Amino acid sequence: MTSALFSPIRLADLELANRIVVSPMCQYSADDGSANDWHLGHLGMLANSGAGMVIVEATHVERLGRITHGCLGLYTDDNEAALARVLAHCRRAGTAKFGIQIAHAGRKASSQRPWEGGGPLKPDADPWQTIAPSALPFGENWHMPRALVAEDFTRVRNAFVQAAERALRIGFDAIELHYAHGYLAHEFLSPISNRRKDEYGGPLAARMRFPREVARAVRAVVPKSMPLGARITGSDWIEGGLTPDDAVAFSKALKDDGLDYIDVSSGGVIATARNPPTPGYNAPIAERIKREAGIATRTVGLIVTPSQAEAIVAEGKADMIALARAMLDDPRWGWHAARDLDAEVPRVPQYQRAGPKLWSGALKRA
Ligand SMILES: Cc1cc2nc3c(=O)[nH]c(=O)nc-3n(C[C@H](O)[C@H](O)[C@H](O)COP(=O)(O)O)c2cc1C
């Protein structure tokens, strides 16, 4: 049987060896936005995971858009040079293609790293003024954001464009907009966090306006040959929040704006919201988006085993799957999935002797 998970896929002009994607994962380890040796080791390792593509963690388009003091950014020449060094290493070290997620944290910026508590930065930890569609905090005791005014819209939109231009110069294979997890774009989309009375608030079409303006501005500088996608929210998982119907409508709009794929995630718009604890909890929403919006779809969330990933793709629920924690647990997840599903993964020449022959030989002798 041929594996659906290990069949190639094309996004714009980019050919991926399989449908496995390493989900973007913040490392909270950068120096004023600049990648360093941690990222060299971490991303170099994932370049050999067997995944067709690795998406680099949320990389923030302006300094005040970072989640934590340790988050990656792409807002200075130093940031660009540092990430170029890491990507050059990954190209030499492994087989995966590399995309980058560009992001703005909105009212969830100015936070502690998860291992420092994950809450808002305390007054002695150099906090900064956050921005959001409305002056509503993320949760109890969180920073009060300032509502965006006209010049913020222009600055943030331009910052997304400039970060995309830097990503192009660095040589990434794909660009992904972070429109989920309660960060700035999601804050505009969700009626929970957007209470604006102007043309950027109210009905869904108005709440989509700013994220769509950013998407179109970025698309204008990213060549058609390069995939541009977005990670969106399938559900806020709270009464009165975004629903799968909204996610379908937003996906259709982003397709009209020229995007090549949608990655379906969910949750994170307020501190008390909780995602369902069920395996593959976003897959049913991805299935609807794939069918109703007619755009290449990826999904993520508690996908852990190869058979589970294979079923999601084979049953047409999504075109690609992304894994985060399972990849940290087993950074050769793709190799091991290929073994289970009787498929092949590309391997660098240095590691070829660990290929299928090892296992067939060992099994014959066992
Ligand atoms: C350490 C860590 C960092 C993360 N950072 C990001 C990020 O930068 N951007 C993003 O969209 N999601 C981020 N996420 C969410 C994951 O990409 C993924 O959507 C989530 O963990 C669910 O997938 P999983 O069940 O395979 O872990 C992060 C998750 C983890 C565990």
Side-chain angles (χ1 to χ4, degrees):
M1 194 196 75
T2 322
S3 161
L5 184 65
F6 282 92
S7 63
I9 182 168
R10 197 181 177 85
L11 297 171
D13 286 355
L14 180 71
E15 184 85 42
L16 299 177
N18 58 50
R19 277 96 187 308
I20 305 166
V21 174
V22 178
S23 206
M25 279 182 276
C26 290
Q27 298 297 294
Y28 314 100
S29 302
D31 306 309
D32 197 353
S34 291
N36 54 37
D37 286 356
W38 175 263
H39 304 88
L40 206 72
H42 168 69
L43 294 168
M45 167 182 83
L46 294 170
N48 277 317
S49 60
M53 183 155 69
V54 175
I55 306 285
V56 171
E57 69 187 81
T59 301
H60 298 93
V61 301
E62 64 171 356
R63 198 162 188 266
L64 72 81
R66 292 175 306 158
I67 308 167
T68 72
H69 283 299
C71 282
L72 273 189
L74 208 35
Y75 47 81
T76 65
D77 291 348
D78 283 351
N79 296 160
E80 184 179 329
L83 206 48
R85 169 178 171 259
V86 169
L87 187 66
H89 165 75
C90 292
R91 299 281 191 217
R92 286 192 298 272
T95 59
K97 303 287 187 208
F98 273 81
I100 183 169
Q101 186 184 56
I102 55 174
H104 193 299
R107 68 182 186 175
K108 289 172 82 171
S110 191
S111 299
Q112 300 163 324
R113 294 170 177 88
W115 55 83
E116 294 164 346
L121 284 175
K122 300 264 163 53
D124 62 354
D126 196 14
W128 62 91
Q129 174 67 60
T130 58
I131 57 169
S134 304
L136 293 168
F138 171 61
E140 219 177 303
N141 301 323
W142 275 78
H143 303 304
M144 178 60 78
R146 176 173 67 71
L148 271 83
V149 295
E151 65 209 35
D152 297 309
F153 284 95
T154 311
R155 190 192 67 252
V156 172
R157 189 172 49 239
N158 290 345
F160 267 94
V161 170
Q162 282 157 15
E165 287 171 335
R166 290 185 186 278
L168 291 173
R169 278 201 295 272
I170 292 171
F172 279 99
D173 300 301
I175 297 180
E176 181 164 306
L177 303 166
H178 196 354
Y179 279 4
H181 299 175
Y183 299 117
L184 186 65
H186 182 182
E187 290 159 18
F188 269 93
L189 289 159
S190 177
I192 302 289
S193 42
N194 182 348
R195 304 278 169 80
R196 294 182 77 94
K197 302 274 178 270
D198 62 6
E199 71 271 32
Y200 290 103
L204 180 64
R207 287 182 276 118
M208 292 196 294
R209 186 186 302 271
F210 186 55
R212 292 191 67 185
E213 282 176 3
V214 170
R216 286 196 293 267
V218 172
R219 180 79 273 183
V221 298
V222 175
K224 274 275 163 211
S225 55
M226 181 186 283
L228 175 66
R231 168 166 274 197
I232 70 159
T233 292
S235 172
D236 278 342
W237 307 118
I238 34 173
E239 197 64 40
L242 289 171
T243 65
D245 285 343
D246 297 323
V248 169
F250 187 42
S251 301
K252 286 181 180 166
L254 290 177
K255 184 185 174 192
D256 288 346
D257 295 333
L259 264 56
D260 299 294
Y261 73 90
I262 296 293
D263 177 53
V264 186
S265 190
S266 59
V269 80
I270 49 168
T272 49
R274 292 288 167 267
N275 291 355
T278 40
Y281 55 89
N282 292 312
I285 310 173
E287 184 178 16
R288 275 199 58 193
I289 290 174
K290 181 171 153 60
R291 193 176 56 238
E292 296 175 39
I295 185 166
T297 305
R298 195 173 88 207
T299 192
V300 67
L302 280 176
I303 303 170
V304 177
T305 66
S307 57
Q308 192 194 356
E310 174 68 20
I312 290 171
V313 180
E315 291 164 14
K317 293 187 173 142
D319 299 291
M320 295 164 281
I321 58 101
L323 301 114
R325 290 164 294 177
M327 280 288 176
L328 294 184
D329 177 57
D330 174 9
R332 298 262 196 265
W333 191 94
W335 289 22
H336 302 151
R339 194 169 68 213
D340 288 3
L341 299 170
D342 205 13
E344 289 286 342
V345 272
R347 286 169 218 264
V348 289
Q350 293 93 329
Y351 292 170
Q352 262 161 16
R353 289 172 70 185
K357 269 193 199 150
L358 169 71
W359 287 90
S360 50
L363 287 176
K364 262 186 227 135
R365 282 193 295 274

